[in-house]
Amino acid sequence: MTRAVEAGLVRPPFLDVEAIEAVYGASILALHDVSLSVARGEIVALVGPNGAGKTTTLRAISNLLGAQRGALRGGTIRWQGEETRRLDPSDLVARGIVQVLEGRHVFGQLTVEENLLTGGYLRRPSRRQLAADLDRVYGWFPRLKERRSARAGLTSGGEQQMVAIGRALMTRPTLLLLDEPSMGLAPIIVAEIFAIIARLNREEGLSVLIAEQSANLVLDHADRAIVLESGRVVASGPSAELAASGRLAALYLGGADAPTRH
Amino acid sequence: MSLFLETLIGGVLAGTLYALVAIGFVLIYKASGVFNYAQGSILLFGALAFVSLKDAGVPVAGALAITVGLLIVTAIAIERLLLRPLTNRSPLTLFMATLGLSYVAEGVAQGFMGSQVRALDLGIEDLPMFLGDIMISQFDLIAAGVAALLVIALSLLFNRTRIGIQLRGVANDTLAALSLGIDINRIWQIVWAVAGLVGLVSGLLWGARQGVQFSLSLVVLKALPVLIIGGFTSIAGAIVGGVVVGAGESLAETYIGPFLGGGITPWFAYALALVFLFIRPAGLLGERQIERV
Ligand SMILES: Nc1ncnc2c1ncn2[C@@H]1O[C@H](COP(=O)(O)OP(=O)(O)OP(=O)(O)O)[C@@H](O)[C@H]1O
Ligand SMILES: [Mg+2]
C-alpha cells in the first residue's frame, strides 16, 4: 500500500528503537517505554502534545541526551544494525544521523554561509567537494543563497529554519531528525519547508523523522506516524489511517481549531 | 602639547600589552564560557620555560619550539583532565578548577625552574626614538607591532580557516555544534593552545621589560579591568580596553599623579573599570546575544 510496507518486506536494518527509557538528572523520567522504527526512504512523524517526550526521543537517537544532563536508562537503539549507546554524537553524524534542534539554534553571530560550512567539514572534503555541497544546499534553499553573507541571527525565522536544515544537510545525512520545524513560523513558510523536505525524500532518498506538536500538516507528508503521550507510544500506523480514524483528535489536539488541552 | 602626545603614545603602546594579555582570556571565555584564572600562571609558565631553556644553552629557535610544544601538551592535558570531566558543571565550578590549575601551574614552574628573577633578553634594544620632539620607546613600538601581527594572525585564523569557523560556532552555540558532529573537545584543545601561545607572547614581552618573575602571573589583575571595559567576548573589545587602560593610566600618572602624590597606576584601571560597570556593563564591544527565537 505505501512505500513503508514495501520496504518492510525486505527490510535491511535501519533505525530501530526498542523500549527505551530516558531520564533527566537522576529522577525525572521523561520516556517510559518508547519503541519505533524508521525504514530507509521513509518519512515518519512523531506527534504528541507538549511534554510528551518527542524531543527526548530524538535526543536519545542522536545521543545528545548527555549534553542535557539526560541519559538512557533502558532499552536499545540500533542504527543500521549497530548499537549506538557508546557512540559520540559526532560518530553518529559521521554514520549519517543528524538532528535539527528544536528552536533552530543557528549560529547567530556567523553568516548564513558560515553556518552551512560548519556542517560541511566533518568528512574532510576537498575545497571543490565543499563548494559542490554548498551549491547543492543552495539549490534546495535558493533564498539562503541570496542571504549568504547576512548574519544568521538577523535573518527571519523561516530563513533560520532553512539555515538549520541546510547546515544539517551539509553533513550528507542518511536520516534527518527534525524537531518541530514549524515552531513559530507562518503556515505558508511551514508549507514551503515541508514541501522541500518531501522533495528531498523523493529525489534523494533522504529518510526523515519529524517531531511535531500539530499533526495536521505533517501527516500530509509522512508515510507513518507515531503518537506519543506522557513518555509512551499510544498509537501508530500509516498517516492516512491515523488521520481517518479520528484517534488523533481524541488523543490530543492537533489543529488550531482544537479544544482545550489536558 | 608634546608632553601630552608623548604620554598618550607611551600609554597606548603599553596598552597593547594589556590587550594581549586580555585576548588570552577572551579566547577561552568565548569558546568554553570559562573565566580562566590560570591564564596568568600559564603565561608565567611559558615565559619561565623559555628563559630556563635559553639559560641552559638551547638556541632561541629551539627554546621557542620546545616551549610551544609544552604549551600545546598542557592545553590537551587541561582539556582531558579538567574540562572534559567537568562538562555541564556550573561556571563557578569551572572557575574554581582554573583557580586550582593556576596553583598547579605556578608550583610546577617554581619546582622546575626556581623562583629567582630571570633576566630575559630578546635582543630588542630599548633606545628612545624621536618623532619631531616626541620621544617614543623603541621597545614599546616593537612590542605593539608584534601584538598587532598576532591579532591579524588570529583574525585570519577565525575568519578564513575551517578550524576557525568551527571554533566560532562552538563559541556561539555549543549544543548546535555538537549536533553537527563538530568535535568540541578538539576545538577546546585548540583554543587553550592558542590562548597559551598568546600568553607566551605576552609573557615574553612583559618579561623582557621587567624580568621574568612570579609577579608576572599578576598581570591577570591588569587584564580584569581591561576585560570589564572592553567586554569579555570581543577581541576587538580587548584591544580597545587595553589601549584605554594604557593611555588612561599613563595620562593620569602624569597629570593627576602629582596632586595625589603619585602611585596612581596600581588602582587607576580599576577605578576606570568601575565607571564603565555603571554606564556600560556589557563592555564597549561585548556582544549582546542576538535574539534566537
Ligand atoms: N533538559 C531537561 N531537563 C529536565 N527535564 C526535561 C528536559 N527536557 C525535557 N524535560 C522533561 O521531559 C519531558 C519530555 O519533554 P520533551 O521536551 O521531550 O517533550 P516534547 O514532546 O518535545 O514537548 P514540546 O512539544 O513541548 O517540545 C517533559 O516532562 C519535560 O519537562
Ligand atoms: Mg520538543
Side-chain angles (χ1 to χ4, degrees):
Chain A
M1 171 183 66
T2 59
R3 270 187 318 221
V5 177
E6 283 166 31
L9 295 176
V10 277
R11 223 179 112 183
F14 201 62
L15 177 71
D16 293 291
V17 175
E18 279 173 36
I20 57 169
E21 206 180 286
V23 289
Y24 288 104
S27 55
I28 306 168
L29 191 58
L31 300 180
H32 297 270
D33 173 19
V34 172
S35 299
L36 61 88
S37 65
V38 177
R40 185 180 285 277
E42 266 190 318
I43 296 182
V44 176
L46 189 60
V47 294
N50 223 303
K54 307 179 294 290
T55 298
T56 306
T57 304
L58 295 189
R59 282 180 188 149
I61 296 169
S62 58
N63 267 347
L64 289 173
L65 267 183
Q68 304 284 320
R69 300 177 202 207
L72 214 56
R73 217 165 57 177
T76 52
I77 299 176
R78 281 175 210 286
W79 169 238
Q80 301 187 323
E82 179 188 15
E83 214 187 308
T84 62
R85 183 177 284 263
R86 304 205 163 278
L87 300 177
D88 284 335
S90 63
D91 297 329
L92 278 168
V93 179
R95 284 165 169 72
I97 300 186
V98 69
Q99 178 169 0
V100 178
L101 302 172
E102 181 176 88
R104 309 189 263 275
H105 281 263
V106 299
F107 300 123
Q109 311 282 357
L110 275 59
T111 66
V112 166
E113 184 151 305
E114 286 171 339
N115 264 273
L116 298 180
L117 287 172
T118 55
Y121 299 138
L122 185 82
R123 297 173 203 285
R124 302 182 184 283
S126 68
R127 267 173 193 241
R128 189 184 301 172
Q129 274 174 302
L130 193 63
D133 285 350
L134 259 184
D135 273 347
R136 191 176 134 252
V137 169
Y138 285 141
W140 290 109
F141 299 103
R143 259 216 256 175
L144 295 187
K145 189 161 189 176
E146 290 164 30
R147 308 231 53 197
R148 65 202 296 173
S149 44
R151 269 220 210 183
L154 301 176
T155 60
S156 73
E159 286 162 349
Q160 290 192 17
Q161 188 63 62
M162 292 177 190
V163 168
I165 296 173
R167 194 173 62 173
L169 290 178
M170 289 293 287
T171 68
R172 298 176 159 272
T174 323
L175 171 64
L176 187 66
L177 308 174
L178 276 178
D179 199 349
E180 305 232 18
S182 72
M183 187 191 265
L185 301 181
I188 188 166
I189 308 284
V190 176
E192 184 182 340
I193 287 173
F194 277 152
I196 293 172
I197 298 294
R199 271 184 54 214
L200 274 161
N201 169 260
R202 271 198 314 275
E203 295 172 23
E204 302 209 347
L206 181 69
S207 311
V208 190
L209 179 58
I210 311 182
E212 274 291 351
Q213 248 182 63
S214 58
N216 41 11
L217 234 173
V218 72
L219 286 191
D220 292 345
H221 296 285
D223 300 300
R224 284 189 300 122
I226 293 148
V227 185
L228 282 186
E229 209 179 55
S230 310
R232 287 199 172 78
V233 176
V234 292
S236 69
S239 309
E241 283 178 23
L242 270 178
S245 73
R247 277 199 72 186
L248 273 178
L251 279 163
Y252 85 111
L253 336 123
D257 51 318
T260 51
R261 311 192 155 196
H262 51 263
Chain B
M1 189 62 196
S2 83
L3 173 67
F4 174 77
L5 279 179
E6 202 172 290
T7 315
L8 182 68
I9 292 173
V12 168
L13 293 178
T16 55
L17 273 184
Y18 295 159
L20 216 48
V21 177
I23 286 172
F25 283 93
V26 170
L27 289 173
I28 288 177
Y29 187 78
K30 262 181 90 99
S32 40
V34 182
F35 181 81
N36 176 27
Y37 186 83
Q39 182 69 17
S41 315
I42 290 172
L43 179 157
L44 171 72
F45 174 79
L48 211 50
F50 177 81
V51 178
S52 303
L53 286 164
K54 202 159 154 286
D55 287 355
V58 183
V60 171
L64 205 57
I66 296 174
T67 310
V68 168
L70 270 176
L71 285 170
I72 291 173
V73 171
T74 309
I76 294 173
I78 291 173
E79 190 276 323
R80 278 279 159 90
L81 304 176
L82 204 74
L83 299 181
R84 206 178 294 191
L86 293 180
T87 315
N88 279 342
R89 296 303 183 79
S90 73
L92 189 63
T93 311
L94 284 161
F95 172 74
M96 298 304 262
T98 68
L99 202 71
L101 178 66
S102 75
Y103 284 106
V104 174
E106 283 182 31
V108 169
Q110 193 154 22
F112 280 99
M113 300 171 254
S115 58
Q116 70 277 49
V117 180
R118 307 286 190 90
L120 171 59
D121 182 8
L122 292 178
I124 308 171
E125 279 187 78
D126 194 5
L127 298 172
M129 281 174 37
F130 287 92
L131 266 182
D133 54 357
I134 301 170
M135 188 187 82
I136 299 174
S137 149
Q138 193 179 342
F139 180 87
D140 283 354
L141 204 60
I142 292 175
V146 170
L149 280 180
L150 196 65
V151 168
I152 291 170
L154 284 177
S155 97
L156 288 177
L157 171 73
F158 288 139
N159 293 302
R160 295 271 180 276
T161 68
R162 293 182 177 193
I163 288 291
I165 291 174
Q166 293 182 71
L167 207 147
R168 282 163 54 220
V170 171
N172 196 164
D173 189 329
T174 313
L175 186 63
L178 205 58
S179 78
L180 293 167
I182 292 176
D183 185 344
I184 290 181
N185 298 315
R186 190 166 135 264
I187 296 288
W188 280 344
Q189 290 169 3
I190 292 169
V191 172
W192 280 72
V194 170
L197 297 185
V198 172
L200 174 64
V201 173
S202 22
L204 291 181
L205 292 174
W206 276 98
R209 191 192 250 173
Q210 58 177 32
V212 175
Q213 54 189 320
F214 276 82
S215 65
L216 203 54
S217 65
L218 297 179
V219 293
V220 189
L221 299 180
K222 273 289 191 263
L224 195 60
V226 170
L227 292 167
I228 292 171
I229 290 169
F232 277 77
T233 53
S234 158
I235 288 184
I239 297 170
V240 173
V243 167
V244 167
V245 167
E249 259 182 16
S250 166
L251 289 173
E253 190 69 51
T254 306
Y255 289 104
I256 308 175
F259 299 106
L260 301 178
I264 281 191
T265 322
W267 56 263
F268 179 78
Y270 280 91
L272 203 61
L274 210 57
V275 173
F276 272 84
L277 271 183
F278 283 121
I279 56 178
R280 213 181 151 84
L284 280 174
L285 297 174
E287 280 160 4
R288 260 143 302 180
Q289 204 72 317
I290 290 186
E291 197 57 44
R292 282 193 299 264
V293 188

